[in-house]
């Protein structure tokens, strides 16, 4: 069974940086797209950034120019470099994988990680 494990969250001051990582474990043959979403208290989960297997990226307007998503296909890992963090970036950040095919032949449409807390505060 494929699982996503996030790491790298924490407390940072405004203007600071954090790097999130998400590693997919299991007998994985390929992953179509990977991405990051976030959910702040009292708000709906929203897209932060996505990246396809070929490297095409998409960002929410609120993070363009500050965040950068990347992935290592060989390691089935996606990263989110977050710079110039603002208090409004505070949220639980969730990793997402779309179109996950295993060597066993199984296919999962959509898989979520457990989330990692990012808090931006002085």
């Amino acid at each position: 069974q494929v699982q996503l494990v996030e790491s790298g969250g924490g407390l940072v001051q405004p203007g600071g940086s954090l790097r999130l990582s998400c590693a997919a474990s299991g007998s994985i043959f390929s992953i179509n797209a990977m991405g990051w979403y976030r959910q702040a208290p009292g708000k709906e989960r929203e897209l932060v950034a996505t990246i396809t297997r070929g490297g095409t990226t998409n960002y929410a307007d609120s993070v363009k120019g500050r965040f950068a998503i990347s992935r290592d296909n060989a390691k089935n890992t996606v990263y989110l470099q977050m710079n110039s963090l603002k208090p409004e970036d505070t949220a639980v950040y969730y990793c997402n994988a779309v179109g996950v095919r295993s060597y066993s032949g199984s296919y999962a449409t959509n898989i979520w990680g457990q989330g990692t807390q990012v808090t931006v505060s002085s």
Side-chain angles (χ1 to χ4, degrees):
Q1 184 176 356
V2 176
Q3 292 184 323
L4 302 179
V5 179
E6 300 110 330
S7 61
L11 173 64
V12 63
Q13 292 186 344
S17 298
L18 281 176
R19 188 187 192 216
L20 305 183
S21 299
C22 171
S25 63
S27 181
I28 300 169
F29 175 73
S30 66
I31 301 175
N32 187 5
M34 300 186 78
W36 292 93
Y37 291 72
R38 66 187 182 187
Q39 187 168 16
K43 295 187 177 181
E44 294 187 352
R45 190 173 298 188
E46 63 177 4
L47 178 147
V48 176
T50 61
I51 184 168
T52 68
R53 183 172 179 80
T56 300
T57 59
N58 180 49
Y59 294 93
D61 288 342
S62 60
V63 306
K64 284 181 180 177
R66 300 189 297 123
F67 291 9
I69 190 171
S70 61
R71 66 186 281 180
D72 184 332
N73 290 331
K75 296 182 179 179
N76 294 316
T77 300
V78 64
Y79 307 95
L80 185 68
Q81 178 66 44
M82 304 185 293
N83 299 325
S84 302
L85 282 161
K86 304 175 181 180
E88 50 264 43
D89 294 318
T90 296
V92 177
Y93 284 70
Y94 295 91
C95 178
N96 174 254
V98 174
V100 182
R101 188 173 299 281
S102 301
Y103 280 104
S104 64
S106 65
Y107 183 83
T109 304
N110 205 13
I111 299 176
W112 291 94
Q114 81 286 354
T116 185
Q117 177 71 46
V118 172
T119 303
V120 185
S121 175
S122 55

